[in-house]
Amino acid sequence: MTDPSTYTPPKVWSWNKESGGKFASINRPIAGPTHDKELPVGRHPLQLYSLATPNGVKVTVMLEELLALGHSGAEYDAWLIRIDGNQFGSGFVAVNPNSKIPALMDRSGPAPIRVFESGAILMHLAEKFGALLPSGGQARAECLSWLFWQMGSAPFLGGGFGHFYAYAPTKIEYAIDRFAMEVKRQLDVLDRRLADNPYLAGDVYTIADIAVWPWYGGLAKALLYDAGEFLAVQDYKNVRRWADAIAERPAVQRGRMVNRTWGELSSQLHERHDASDFETRTQDKLEDGTTTGG
């Protein structure tokens, strides 16, 4: 690796496959598929292709919340897309040309509708079912403002702080300091908003909370990048109170399990095709042979 203190950018950048650190094998400077692979299609109207990263968790939580509200049309199949090159299969690229999870195919109408980008999926589902998005006024404006705040801010947390603090092949003080400062500022923004409001849009739980919680709630509870002590997350008491309240919701607990491939086996539901899968097809049951599902 080049010493960061001596690196001078060339006039024209060229791709060095060896410079990407942990994710070098799956990063590339071009789009499009690398191989032909069709996506599976299940029996439900909504087909989700995802992984339980914070962006993926947003959508599975949303779907579980909709089902908990009685919207039976929100039944879904959740297919696991491992970020090991599968995101470059032709079928997945056709659903999301950006080759990122999550991606949704809505097959409930006369023609399938693809939706990609987690914020767009949340809005699509909220409008489709008339739920978790205020219909107007200040509450709707707040909800959408915080939703778009998250979409614009999270790259500083994930691709910025998370990458340089946890994944980069060398620890670069300037980069870590720069992104740590911004992440702490973002936590302070949230903490001030939540000082006088139970939820981001005010008194009601909305897609704004669903979008922000997997990222900043996880960070505040020291679940991301093992960075809780480094960022002194205990100082953000309002964010932590809000994060705890959302974590107690049964739909959130179910949504966190879907497409999860790490942690306790009992918390991993690699694919979800029926509500009963949470009881019968978690990874601990599959591996010890006690599953009753087909």
Side-chain angles (χ1 to χ4, degrees), residues 39-287:
L39 289 176
V41 178
R43 63 187 177 89
H44 296 303
L46 301 174
Q47 299 292 303
L48 177 67
Y49 304 95
S50 192
L51 179 70
T53 65
N55 286 332
V57 166
K58 296 176 194 176
V59 180
T60 50
V61 166
M62 177 67 173
L63 290 164
E64 292 297 328
E65 291 282 12
L66 289 169
L67 290 169
L69 290 171
H71 296 284
S72 59
E75 269 295 349
Y76 67 104
D77 291 278
W79 302 94
L80 178 63
I81 300 294
R82 296 181 186 271
I83 307 304
D84 56 4
N86 276 290
Q87 72 272 34
F88 300 122
S90 57
F92 188 76
V93 174
V95 181
N96 186 350
N98 196 37
S99 294
K100 305 287 185 181
I101 63 93
L104 179 75
M105 285 297 294
D106 183 347
R107 297 177 175 272
S108 61
I113 297 172
R114 77 174 189 186
V115 193
F116 60 93
E117 289 296 319
S118 57
I121 296 173
L122 293 183
M123 285 194 66
H124 174 80
L125 294 171
E127 292 176 340
K128 179 182 181 72
F129 294 102
L132 300 166
L133 174 61
S135 59
Q138 187 63 52
R140 181 180 177 88
E142 289 288 341
C143 175
L144 294 179
S145 294
W146 287 107
L147 172 65
F148 283 90
W149 175 87
Q150 186 278 319
M151 296 297 292
S153 297
F156 287 94
L157 172 50
F161 174 76
H163 177 79
F164 287 106
Y165 181 79
Y167 302 128
T170 57
K171 301 298 183 187
I172 303 172
E173 182 179 6
Y174 174 81
I176 293 172
D177 283 352
R178 170 68 180 87
F179 286 110
M181 177 180 67
E182 176 61 15
V183 168
K184 286 182 70 67
R185 188 191 69 80
Q186 292 172 357
L187 284 168
D188 192 45
V189 169
L190 285 174
D191 206 61
R192 291 169 186 265
R193 171 62 180 170
L194 293 166
D196 300 312
N197 297 277
Y199 299 107
L200 290 171
D203 294 330
V204 293
Y205 173 72
T206 69
I207 57 174
D209 302 288
I210 293 172
V212 174
W213 179 80
W215 282 106
Y216 294 89
L219 187 66
K221 297 303 293 182
L223 300 176
L224 287 183
Y225 311 124
D226 195 25
E229 182 178 7
F230 180 76
L231 294 172
V233 295
Q234 72 278 359
D235 293 345
Y236 306 100
K237 294 181 174 57
N238 300 312
V239 178
R240 288 167 64 87
R241 181 268 308 160
W242 164 85
D244 286 338
I246 293 176
E248 291 173 2
R249 299 177 67 91
V252 172
Q253 294 170 11
R254 292 192 298 274
R256 288 190 69 229
M257 296 170 64
V258 179
N259 298 145
R260 187 178 178 89
T261 61
W262 56 87
E264 293 292 330
L265 293 178
S266 60
S267 73
Q268 297 182 30
L269 183 61
H270 288 189
E271 293 187 352
R272 186 268 193 211
H273 303 290
D274 188 86
S276 64
D277 289 350
F278 293 102
E279 300 298 327
T280 63
R281 298 191 64 82
T282 51
Q283 202 60 21
D284 58 326
K285 295 182 176 65
L286 291 177
E287 293 195 7

